Amino acid sequence: MSFLIAEVIVDVSTYHVDRPFDYQVPLEWVNVIELGCRVKVPFGPRNVLGFIVGLKKETDVPLNKLKAITQILDMEPVLTEEMLLMAKWLKNNTICYEIDALQVMLPSALRAKYEKIIKLQQSQSLPEEVQYIFGKRQQANFKEFERAGLLPLLKQLVAESIVSIENVVKQQGNVKEIRMVQITEDQQLVEQALEQSKRAVKQRLLLQWMCQHLGEILSPQHICEETGVSISVLEAVIEKGAAQFIQEEVFRDPFTKKVSRTQALQLTEEQRGALQALTTAIEQQQAQTFLLHGVTGSGKTEVYLQAIQKVLDEGKEAIMLVPEISLTPQMTERFRSRFGEMVAVMHSGLSVGEKYDEWRKIQQGKVKVVVGARSAIFAPFTNIGLIILDEEHESTYKQEDSPRYHARDVAIWRSEFYKCPIILGSATPALESFARAKKGVYTLLSLTQRALHQALPTVFIADMREELRQGNRSMFSDSLAEAIRIRLEKKEQMVLFLNRRGYSSFVLCRDCGTVVQCPNCDISLTYHRTTEKLKCHYCGYEESVPKICPQCQSDHIRYFGTGTQKVEEELFKLFPEARVLRMDVDTTKHKGAHEEILDTFGAGHADILLGTQMIAKGLDFPNITLVGVLSADTSLHLPDYRAAERTFQLLTQVSGRAGRHDKPGEVIIQTYTPEHYAIELAKTQEYEPFYEREMFLRRRSSYPPYYFVALIQLSHEDVMMAAEYAGRVADWLRGNLSNQVAIIGPTTASIARLQNRYRYQCLIKYKIEPNLIPVLQRLLAMYRAEWIKQGILMTVDLDPSTI
Ligand SMILES: Nc1ncnc2c1ncn2[C@@H]1O[C@H](COP(=O)(O)OP(=O)(O)OP(=O)(O)O)[C@@H](O)[C@H]1O
Ligand SMILES: [Zn+2]
Ligand SMILES: [Zn+2]
């Protein structure tokens, strides 16, 4: 007897082995099932979601042990064979569970949602107090019992077999459908209906109209409006067979406004050179990675747009990644105005349903371009001609939970699969990218001039220590205050940037120096002015602002640091006439808020745009002539080897917002450490001198890009346990890796306690270590099989963005 056997990766990521399990395919599905379909399968006592990753005729599993697939969830596979291959690669290269790799490629709507259902077995024995929960139904949701506080009773009922609990697998999102009317194609059917309705005037009217619209699919509202009949008349006609109601799939529209079309611009000499190189690679189908290094305002985006046009002309598709896309509606607009309906967007600001719809447009070939954040790198295109990462140095391209992938690496993998080029674009490339370009691994394309040959803005460094010595205690240096005043007079616009990376307002006692800390995490609480509360940004803990110091009972306790609200108030005191728009997490909570703020600013209804990181990049407004950086150094002193690089990048990006069109721009950077090279070199906005300097330091202290690093983090509620297992990790690594590898640790993590768990880490630095992945996989297997039961949590990150 021959069976069809499916290899299934199940949605269980606590199991210690990570491999497919064999299931029997029920006979009636043998011709339906395909690789990449989702199924429900029994696993242990429950049903779980799984993905078909293989089909075969035989299995080693004894027949009496072989279980059958319970249900098929897709007629058409949701994962292509490319994706199945990519998942295997991700599993090995980021060391994750294969199921995590498969799930990350799908919109959350297609991931499983598990629900507990209570089924009625003996309705006659059901106690009165729960009867109302069931009503007339045979089943109820577990949550209803939970809400009613009836869990103890439920347990008893299960024990007595009066009810049973079942776990069901559901899909999270749905296809949205609307009711439409399809008019018959058959003229005779309409005539028959006319025969039957001799005396119904309105029905005859409608039927005669339908004769002119045979075969059309229209909304009921449209028909009623066109003909002036009511819905009941339409229903009567449908009853008589002249038309029928059908359900039609619709896509939710994430775009709130229409855009006008734009044409390709006449390229500058440098842009043309870059486009030429890209076109060659597109036409010759070369899996080549280009680093497009262009100063701010040099017109990188125009190069992307025209390169994508070439790809579309070849009948292929393009992926365009943008960091935190919901924050740059200007960018999506530029793509939609060039490619119109061919563009899908994917970012975290969309609802589950909208994301699902955008994904299906891509999968069904209804669009050819996707503009999206990190996860859009998995867009289900099947004929990719170009992949672009704009602002390629951004740390948001790295995912911080499993699978810990970098979009750049996935892009390179897909480009090899499709034999297509990649563009990594930035004014301030990541050090490792520029190093690769210098070595010839990537092809360097440079745009050294702004598109309209405007000068880069002039940068002035304001030494805040000096200001203090002169008696200026405000957060604005004299030069910045003066510059703002001039802009207000000239009716020009400004951007004020508050660097809040690794920095927040905290409450400090001036007598004893105590900083109020989270009771669960070793981190200071952040002061929130609107609610007068202190909050932990890691665990959500919240308390009221103390009136006296918890340590010494002094009442000299107050908050320190600068939030955007504080700056706004100060601005109001100094410049009461200034119209200020604030853009930060508080003012952008609701959907479309970014867009509204930027539109208001773009329309000239405000003088000052005040904000955090989210205004540093992408903005392109002609009237901005001043950029003020309120505190350059807050990101400089983080315990992170990339701190200087990040600061330089941020300062260059934000400076680049000034003077992009015909008016010259000025930048004022306020700092307490003007002599730091990241700040000094941001003054000239020249990338290469910074690169050389930083590379020298990285080599001296053996950091990337000279060395690779891998980070293992471990936590436990008990500090002794955490320390002990961290020690075991270090010993295991020392015993199994070659002596070419440096193992640093165990040490406590930079946040030593988080959510009441103590955290330790080991850092591995290496140049070449072929054994690394297998050794780490064995370590993980040990952890999954044994340590996890002891309450240890461990993560392995092969490309940590902070250490
Ligand atoms: N060839 C061109 N002719 C005329 N204007 C151009 C040309 N290329 C770009 N521009 C304009 O120059 C401005 C800056 O271009 P763009 O925003 O593409 O630069 P960018 O390099 O992506 O900038 P950034 O990295 O600072 O965001 C835009 O307003 C754009 O419309
Ligand atoms: Zn005190
Ligand atoms: Zn906390």
Side-chain angles (χ1 to χ4, degrees):
M1 192 149 78
S2 90
F3 285 109
L4 186 64
I5 306 296
E7 295 181 331
V8 178
I9 293 284
V10 293
D11 180 16
V12 178
S13 52
T14 50
Y15 204 68
H16 57 279
V17 281
D18 185 15
R19 61 165 175 88
F21 291 87
D22 287 355
Y23 287 90
Q24 190 198 326
V25 179
L27 261 184
E28 66 266 36
W29 294 337
V30 165
N31 293 321
V32 177
I33 211 150
E34 281 184 74
L35 289 184
C37 284
R38 294 171 308 150
V39 289
K40 277 187 215 175
V41 291
F43 192 82
R46 25 184 214 128
N47 257 315
V48 296
L49 180 84
F51 294 92
I52 310 259
V53 296
L55 289 167
K56 57 189 182 185
K57 292 259 181 294
E58 278 160 19
T59 175
D60 298 332
V61 181
L63 274 189
N64 58 352
K65 290 251 174 74
L66 189 68
K67 292 181 190 162
I69 291 172
T70 321
Q71 193 186 335
I72 305 193
L73 295 173
D74 305 301
M75 289 291 122
E76 296 283 326
V78 293
L79 293 164
T80 59
E81 292 193 27
E82 180 214 350
M83 288 166 150
L84 297 179
L85 281 175
M86 190 156 47
K88 290 221 161 54
W89 169 81
L90 268 176
K91 168 183 165 173
N92 284 323
N93 285 271
T94 69
I95 316 195
C96 68
Y97 279 108
E98 196 163 338
I99 185 70
D100 291 345
L102 292 168
Q103 306 250 41
V104 80
M105 298 178 190
L106 294 176
S108 55
L110 292 178
R111 294 179 206 159
K113 188 168 98 182
Y114 295 96
E115 267 181 13
K116 282 202 187 86
I117 296 288
I118 314 300
K119 284 208 165 159
L120 202 49
Q121 301 296 344
Q122 308 168 35
S123 45
Q124 66 284 7
S125 324
L126 196 68
E128 235 169 71
E129 61 258 56
V130 293
Q131 277 176 7
Y132 80 95
I133 292 188
F134 286 96
K136 289 201 177 92
R137 298 173 301 171
Q138 285 302 302
Q139 59 180 47
N141 199 307
F142 181 82
K143 285 205 189 100
E144 298 174 79
F145 280 83
E146 207 173 15
R147 250 180 260 129
L150 291 171
L151 292 188
L153 178 60
L154 177 63
K155 196 166 176 187
Q156 195 187 325
L157 295 176
V158 173
E160 293 167 16
S161 303
I162 296 170
V163 301
S164 64
I165 300 186
E166 267 179 42
N167 288 293
V168 296
V169 188
K170 285 197 168 162
Q171 177 168 314
Q172 293 186 0
N174 288 314
V175 172
K176 190 173 167 185
E177 290 185 332
I178 51 167
R179 197 169 70 147
M180 300 288 277
V181 174
Q182 181 169 30
I183 300 164
T184 177
E185 284 174 7
D186 187 349
Q187 175 114 21
Q188 276 190 338
L189 284 178
V190 184
E191 279 162 9
Q192 276 169 25
L194 271 170
E195 273 300 297
Q196 292 168 26
S197 34
K198 285 228 165 71
R199 279 182 298 165
V201 183
K202 291 255 165 174
Q203 289 186 31
R204 290 186 66 85
L205 192 87
L206 177 57
L207 284 163
Q208 272 148 5
W209 183 84
M210 282 183 169
C211 280
Q212 311 304 312
H213 297 84
L214 293 177
E216 286 180 27
I217 296 174
L218 301 160
S219 75
Q221 296 78 5
H222 177 86
I223 295 176
C224 294
E225 273 166 27
E226 281 291 302
T227 57
V229 304
S230 69
I231 190 85
S232 56
V233 174
L234 177 60
E235 278 167 356
V237 161
I238 285 174
E239 190 84 341
K240 290 184 175 138
Q244 61 178 356
F245 281 123
I246 56 166
Q247 292 296 112
E248 190 160 89
E249 220 176 84
V250 289
F251 296 112
R252 285 154 267 226
D253 186 5
F255 303 116
T256 46
K257 64 176 185 201
K258 297 278 163 256
V259 292
S260 48
R261 287 303 274 258
T262 57
Q263 297 298 321
L265 299 173
Q266 182 73 35
L267 294 184
T268 65
E269 197 66 31
E270 283 185 328
Q271 284 174 320
R272 207 172 323 130
L275 183 66
Q276 188 50 51
L278 294 165
T279 308
T280 308
I282 292 166
E283 283 169 359
Q284 299 186 352
Q285 308 190 10
Q286 285 164 352
Q288 191 176 354
T289 304
F290 292 90
L291 179 62
L292 179 61
H293 174 219
V295 298
T296 55
S298 56
K300 295 182 287 293
T301 313
E302 187 61 31
V303 174
Y304 304 151
L305 289 167
Q306 299 199 19
I308 292 174
Q309 188 58 56
K310 297 271 181 239
V311 168
L312 297 181
D313 294 345
E314 301 262 311
K316 296 187 177 180
E317 301 136 356
I319 297 177
M320 167 85 201
L321 297 190
V322 182
E324 300 151 337
I325 193 188
S326 51
L327 313 180
T328 61
Q330 256 199 337
M331 184 64 126
T332 24
E333 228 180 277
R334 283 170 83 173
F335 280 78
R336 289 180 58 224
S337 61
R338 196 65 61 87
F339 305 118
E341 299 290 297
M342 303 289 266
V343 183
V345 293
M346 278 184 145
H347 59 82
S348 58
L350 302 182
S351 69
V352 171
E354 285 170 342
K355 279 185 206 156
Y356 182 35
D357 286 358
E358 294 298 290
W359 186 85
R360 280 183 308 133
K361 282 190 211 161
I362 299 168
Q363 201 208 20
Q364 297 171 4
K366 294 207 159 69
V367 295
K368 298 286 177 203
V369 181
V370 59
V371 182
R374 179 181 62 230
S375 65
I377 193 60
F378 296 112
F381 282 134
T382 50
N383 191 14
I384 298 175
L386 179 65
I387 302 173
I388 301 168
L389 272 79
D390 188 35
E391 312 283 4
E392 66 92 31
H393 61 277
E394 274 296 316
S395 58
T396 53
Y397 284 130
K398 168 71 198 307
Q399 172 151 309
E400 293 305 333
D401 20 270
S402 181
R404 296 182 164 76
Y405 70 93
H406 198 295
R408 194 194 290 136
D409 300 328
V410 179
I412 292 173
W413 190 92
R414 294 195 86 179
S415 93
E416 278 162 9
F417 189 90
Y418 287 105
K419 304 276 173 286
C420 75
I422 301 177
I423 312 175
L424 305 175
S426 178
T428 51
L431 233 55
E432 51 264 53
S433 296
F434 204 74
R436 283 186 199 153
K438 287 220 143 182
K439 271 171 69 183
V441 182
Y442 299 162
T443 310
L444 186 64
L445 304 172
S446 301
L447 305 178
T448 60
Q449 298 277 325
R450 283 189 155 183
L452 305 166
H453 297 281
Q454 315 89 314
L456 284 170
T458 44
V459 181
F460 177 79
I461 308 280
D463 183 346
M464 294 306 274
R465 296 170 309 191
E466 193 56 35
E467 295 280 328
L468 204 62
R469 258 175 252 137
Q470 310 274 331
N472 178 2
R473 300 192 154 272
S474 105
M475 58 179 80
F476 300 101
S477 58
D478 286 343
S479 41
L480 182 56
E482 182 57 23
I484 294 175
R485 193 165 296 120
I486 294 173
R487 298 309 182 291
L488 287 173
E489 273 166 21
K490 292 211 273 188
K491 305 242 176 298
E492 290 173 355
Q493 288 182 302
M494 308 156 248
V495 166
L496 291 183
F497 173 68
L498 188 67
N499 185 359
R500 282 177 60 94
R501 209 190 141 74
Y503 176 88
S504 51
S505 320
F506 49 89
V507 168
L508 173 127
C509 170
R510 290 195 149 184
D511 283 331
C512 74
T514 292
V515 172
V516 183
Q517 299 231 319
C518 174
N520 310 318
C521 312
D522 282 345
I523 196 122
S524 46
L525 293 172
T526 304
Y527 174 66
H528 282 246
R529 199 180 187 77
T530 35
T531 50
E532 280 291 314
K533 288 254 160 76
L534 291 175
K535 255 192 212 161
C536 173
H537 281 188
Y538 287 87
C539 75
Y541 171 85
E542 197 179 281
E543 66 177 44
S544 303
V545 178
K547 299 233 164 18
I548 53 167
C549 169
Q551 277 301 320
C552 75
Q553 275 73 46
S554 153
D555 56 6
H556 287 136
I557 185 159
R558 62 188 56 176
Y559 76 89
F560 262 73
T562 316
T564 41
Q565 286 180 4
K566 183 96 186 296
V567 181
E568 193 178 12
E569 283 165 26
E570 193 103 342
L571 271 174
F572 183 70
K573 274 188 222 147
L574 284 174
F575 311 103
E577 74 280 21
R579 297 164 301 165
V580 181
L581 274 176
R582 184 157 63 87
M583 186 146 153
D584 56 24
V585 277
D586 292 329
T587 61
T588 51
K589 276 199 192 104
H590 74 267
K591 209 177 155 177
H594 296 110
E595 207 157 350
E596 282 165 28
I597 295 177
L598 293 180
D599 283 351
T600 312
F601 190 67
H605 299 314
D607 307 300
I608 300 177
L609 179 63
L610 164 66
T612 51
Q613 258 67 349
M614 54 178 87
I615 60 168
K617 39 187 173 278
L619 303 189
D620 185 31
F621 292 115
N623 205 26
I624 299 176
T625 60
L626 173 69
V627 167
V629 178
L630 290 164
S631 47
D633 6 38
T634 42
S635 59
L636 213 47
H637 309 299
L638 291 173
D640 181 355
Y641 75 94
R642 283 179 171 130
E645 184 184 357
R646 297 245 160 91
T647 304
F648 176 80
Q649 286 165 341
L650 205 52
L651 293 177
T652 310
Q653 293 291 335
V654 70
S655 301
R657 301 311 111 205
R660 290 167 74 88
H661 294 243
D662 26 305
K663 293 177 191 151
E666 185 186 8
V667 178
I668 297 175
I669 297 176
Q670 304 192 148
T671 173
Y672 288 93
T673 46
E675 64 286 347
H676 193 286
Y677 65 98
I679 291 177
E680 265 186 345
L681 292 170
K683 188 168 157 55
T684 53
Q685 299 179 71
E686 278 181 69
Y687 177 77
E688 287 216 42
F690 175 80
Y691 168 82
E692 298 295 343
R693 178 77 181 257
E694 186 69 20
M695 285 296 270
F696 169 78
L697 296 173
R698 298 282 179 89
R699 177 162 41 202
R700 209 176 54 185
S701 44
S702 319
Y703 274 121
Y706 290 98
Y707 281 79
F708 295 107
V709 293
L711 181 67
I712 298 172
Q713 289 195 306
L714 219 113
S715 72
H716 196 280
E717 285 176 358
D718 179 56
V719 65
M720 300 301 287
M721 284 289 282
E724 187 195 321
Y725 279 84
R728 287 200 203 175
V729 169
D731 290 346
W732 161 268
L733 293 173
R734 291 199 172 96
N736 287 279
L737 293 173
S738 75
N739 52 17
Q740 302 292 308
V741 173
I743 292 149
I744 299 154
T747 53
T748 51
S750 63
I751 301 171
R753 190 172 52 121
L754 199 63
Q755 308 195 344
N756 280 321
R757 299 181 67 87
Y758 292 87
R759 295 158 26 109
Y760 280 80
Q761 66 186 39
C762 291
L763 189 66
I764 307 169
K765 279 190 191 174
Y766 64 101
K767 268 200 146 112
I768 307 164
E769 179 61 17
N771 246 339
L772 183 71
I773 299 237
V775 167
L776 290 176
Q777 273 166 341
R778 268 156 49 213
L779 175 69
L780 265 178
M782 221 148 70
Y783 156 71
R784 288 167 181 168
E786 299 297 333
W787 299 6
I788 222 167
K789 291 182 209 144
Q790 311 296 321
I792 295 282
L793 288 179
M794 186 176 90
T795 59
V796 175
D797 195 331
L798 289 168
D799 173 29
S801 42
T802 53
I803 51 178

